[in-house]
Each structure stands twice: as structure tokens, then as C-alpha cells.
Amino acid sequence: MQRLLVAILAAVDAAIAAAVGLAVLLAPLTLLWTLVLGASADWGALWPFAGTLWQFGHGVPIVIELPGEIISAVGIAPQAAAFTISLTPMAFLVFTLLFAARSGARSARSGAGLLGAGAGIVVFAAISTGVALTARVEMASVPVAAAIIVPASVYLIGALGGAVRHAWNEGDGGPVDRLHDLVDGWGTWRLVPGEIVRGASAAVVGLTGIGALLIAIMVALRGGEVVALFESAHVDAVGATVLALGNLAYLPTMIVWAVSWASGAGFSVGAGTSASPAGTELGVVPGLPAFGLLPENGSIWMLVIVLLPVAVGAFAGWIVRSRLVWHGAAQPLWPRVAIAGGIAALTAGVTALAAVLASGSIGPGRMAETGPHPGWTALAVGIEVLIGTAILLIAPRHRDELAEERTDRWAEEMAASTTEDAETAVIAETLPGFHEGETQPLADDGFFGNGSTPAPR
């Protein structure tokens, strides 16, 4: 009965995750349909439009094919009438990923992690299938297979990640526990996998904070350009609200761009363009308000900003080294070398995945290449994080650190000694001849091995 309840709750979580994402899109679109289009609105197009945007928010590309009458009316080149938009607004994807991770962890906490994750994935895949089959827009089509598989894969990664993480920390009585027991038999190396994941998590969080900080600084410095682009769009209050929400959905994407810029790899806004600390060559860019935050120029001296990812790596190394000292495993060199390399490799892998999601096409022609290059960005971040991590993990141990370790071990020994004394006192109270008020029991029965009363301590 409990396993059935876990599966039902996981299925409800998946339905809520999908419903919240669709509701976030339907609410402003309904407002737009009501206030702007009015009585002439085609309400039958509301759901297909919202469903297509929901799929796009989870990484599904949209193929735009403009009909001939629009080409003639707008006067665009025929070769620009068909193009793909694949630059994902990652806010929807991140929400689904985190919600799925929470659901998977809760299922694992209830003792049925795989069952709960499986139930949630099935329900989310069913909802994705329903959206893919019913939300079809004439001029903006999405591949049906991708519309079903990609959103379900996002939920799958989140749910399994949350379940495995909780099972690794707390146990599940199943395959994760058996793997954990196997790793525990590696001696000093048993700490390596866990510390790699812990250090990489700290590095990823630190890099995200750097990206968000850079975005905040650019908003403060170039907020006027953003406002000017809003004004040049000539939209009313409803249009400005929808435009602002659309730019907000791309905030995680812009954070990835900022991390790529801080690493020195930079990003592009169209073929043949680049924006990096060493220099900026953008040319003409679309008049979207978010592009008002793009830096106008750079300098070779701005490459000093690459020290920020190095500092993030040092922070991750400090966290791991402190734990190694606490566990008394900071002395062997090669496990620390493996941890430093693993943190850098895992952080680079996460960065590469984020760069893939934060790059793509936003229009025809040269706008088909936009965002950071996944390979170069991952390489730059990996090297910088490795340098910072290695400084803290592989450097010789300072005498203060050794003194701290000795102090920690002394405290543990004192705590163990206190526990043993308390157990001895409890046993002594049960012995014959114990008198209240005496510091030691009368051991005239030879309990202490020599038949004499032990001397007071």
C-alpha cells in the first residue's frame, strides 16, 4: 500500500510540474488575447501557441515557415522565410529539473525511489505526448518525436538525480547501497567519488553566482540601453509585460552566457561575431531588450576576470580539503590529485551541457549561430577550476592545518574517553559493595584482576 501511495504522489508531482509550466504561459497569453485582440481573437490558437512555447522552453526547436503572402507583405528574402529557433529559454527547463529532483528525493525518502521516479516519468511523458499531438501551430512546427522525448528526458534526469542523491546519502537497501558498500571498501580512495561530486556542486553553484553577479552589474551599468530598446518596440503596457516576461524566461540562459564570458571563451550573437573580455565584435544585433546588456567593448586587461573561475575552484578545493582533514584522509597525495581532476572534469561537463542548452539559432542567416561554444567554454572553465582546486588540494599542508587536525583528533579521543568512563560508572553501580558517595566501588571480589581496590584517579 505504501509503494502504491508513493507512486501516486510521484505521478501527481509530475502532473503539477507540467501544469505549472503551462499555466505560466497561458496566463499572460490569455491576457494578451483578451486585451489586445479582443473580440476578433482566435481562441482556438491559444492552446497550440502555449503548448508550442512550453515545448520550446524544454529544449525542443521550433521550425518557422512563413507563407508567401507574409513574405510579399514584409518584403523579406525568400531564403529567410524558413529557419529554426533553438535558443532555449532555460527558465522552464530549470524549473522542471528542480521540481523533478524534489519529487525523486521524496520518493527515495519513502523507500521507493525508482518506483516513484518511474511513475513520475510515465505521467510527464504522457502529458508531453498530449501536448505534442494537440498543440500544432501552422507556421511554427516542432518535431513530434523531439516534443515527446526531450521534455520527458528533462524530468527523467531530475527525478533520477534526486532519488540517487538521497539514496547515496541515506541508503535505500538496494543497488545504491550495494554500490556504496563497494566504494567503502576502497580504503582512503572511498572518499574520492563523494568529494568529487561535492566539490563540483560547489563549483557549479559558485559559477552560477558569478554569472548572476555579472548580469546584475550590467543591469546597473547598461539599464538605460535596455529601457531604450523597450521604448523602441512601441508596445503598450500589455505588450511590455509580455516582452518583459519573455526576457525573464531567458535569465538562466544569460547567466550561462555571462559565465562563458567570465571564463574568457566568450559567446557570439550571430556568425562572425564575438563577445569576450579581450574584445567585442558584434555588429548589428536584434533589438531585443535583453541584448542591451551586451558589453560594447573589451580590453586585454579585462582577462583578469578569469581569476573568478579560478577562485571558484579554490573555494571548492577548500571545502573538500576541510572534509578530508576532518576524516583524517588529507595525507595521501594521489587521492587528492584524483579529486582535483574529477572536480574539474565534472564541472566542465556540466558547463558544456549548459552551453549546449544556451546556444542555438534565433533567426535566419548568420543568426543561426548564437551563444557560447560548448567545447571551448567547457575547456576554459575546466582548466580554470582545475588550477584553483589544485592550489588548495595538492599544495603542501600548512602547520596550522596539521595543528587543527591534531586538535580535532584529540577532541574525538577525549569524547570517546568520556563515553568509556560513563559506561564504567554505570557498570560499577551494579557491582556488590558499591556505596553511595564513594568515588570507586569496593572491588574486594577480584573484579579488577588483582583483588585489590583500585587507587582513586
Side-chain angles (χ1 to χ4, degrees):
M1 182 63 183
Q2 181 181 1
R3 294 175 64 85
L4 177 61
L5 181 60
V6 170
I8 293 174
L9 291 176
V12 172
D13 281 343
I16 292 175
V20 169
L22 290 168
V24 168
L25 288 168
L26 282 171
L29 289 177
T30 302
L31 182 65
L32 179 65
W33 249 248
T34 302
L35 299 181
V36 177
L37 301 179
S40 62
D42 180 11
W43 289 96
L46 178 61
W47 165 250
F49 193 61
T52 300
L53 290 180
W54 182 79
Q55 295 163 346
F56 178 55
H58 286 84
V60 182
I62 300 177
V63 179
I64 305 295
E65 296 181 358
L66 301 178
E69 55 271 19
I70 294 181
I71 296 175
S72 302
V74 178
I76 62 176
Q79 59 269 24
F83 55 92
T84 300
I85 300 179
S86 57
L87 184 62
T88 304
M90 291 174 59
F92 295 95
L93 187 147
V94 171
F95 168 77
T96 300
L97 195 67
L98 296 179
F99 202 97
R102 173 182 173 275
S103 177
R106 187 170 66 178
S107 299
R109 193 178 301 114
S110 302
L114 293 179
L115 177 63
I121 293 164
V122 169
V123 171
F124 201 87
I127 295 175
S128 300
T129 303
V131 174
L133 296 178
T134 58
R136 309 291 294 174
V137 179
E138 181 180 355
M139 293 185 298
S141 61
V142 297
V144 177
I148 296 173
I149 295 174
V150 174
S153 299
V154 173
Y155 197 90
L156 169 66
I157 294 173
L160 288 181
V164 170
R165 177 186 177 277
H166 184 274
W168 182 269
N169 292 333
E170 305 296 336
D172 66 341
V176 178
D177 267 351
R178 289 193 291 271
L179 178 60
H180 201 292
D181 293 339
L182 177 63
V183 173
D184 285 342
W186 291 358
T188 305
W189 290 84
R190 74 187 186 279
L191 300 173
V192 171
E195 297 308 319
I196 287 176
V197 175
R198 182 173 288 104
S201 300
V204 170
V205 172
L207 290 172
T208 304
I210 288 175
L213 177 62
L214 291 176
I215 293 295
I217 292 174
M218 294 307 296
V219 169
L221 296 178
R222 298 183 57 82
E225 285 75 5
V226 176
V227 173
L229 288 174
F230 262 109
E231 294 174 347
S232 64
H234 300 293
V235 293
D236 56 8
V238 176
T241 302
V242 173
L243 194 59
L245 292 176
N247 283 270
L248 188 62
Y250 275 97
L251 180 59
T253 305
M254 291 187 291
I255 289 176
V256 177
W257 287 22
V259 171
S260 180
W261 186 86
S263 70
F267 57 88
S268 63
V269 187
T273 64
S274 66
S276 70
T280 301
E281 297 180 4
L282 293 178
V284 180
V285 298
L288 299 176
F291 286 155
L293 300 178
L294 296 176
E296 290 184 346
N297 48 45
S299 170
I300 193 67
W301 298 104
M302 292 183 67
L303 284 174
V304 72
I305 202 169
V306 302
L307 293 177
L308 291 178
V310 175
V312 166
F315 174 70
W318 174 75
I319 291 177
V320 172
R321 183 157 182 161
S322 299
R323 289 182 56 84
L324 292 178
V325 170
W326 178 257
H327 288 286
Q331 186 63 33
L333 173 63
W334 291 112
R336 287 182 283 143
V337 172
I339 292 174
I343 290 174
L346 186 56
T347 304
V350 174
T351 303
L353 179 60
V356 168
L357 296 173
S359 60
S361 172
I362 59 173
R366 70 183 188 90
M367 301 311 298
E369 300 179 13
T370 305
H373 188 281
W376 292 119
T377 303
L379 179 62
V381 169
I383 292 175
E384 291 155 5
V385 170
L386 177 62
I387 293 173
T389 306
I391 291 174
L392 266 293
L393 279 180
I394 306 178
R397 304 175 68 194
H398 194 269
R399 60 176 180 272
D400 291 341
E401 185 180 14
L402 295 172
E404 180 183 359
E405 182 178 355
R406 288 194 296 268
T407 302
D408 293 337
R409 290 181 178 177
W410 177 81
E412 292 178 359
E413 292 174 358
M414 291 297 295
S417 177
T418 303
T419 303
E420 292 176 359
D421 290 345
E423 293 176 353
T424 302
V426 172
I427 295 174
E429 291 179 0
T430 64
L431 297 177
F434 176 82
H435 299 287
E436 184 178 359
E438 295 185 5
T439 58
Q440 294 290 346
L442 300 177
D444 53 356
D445 56 352
F447 178 79
F448 288 90
N450 56 7
S452 60
T453 302
R457 297 179 182 176

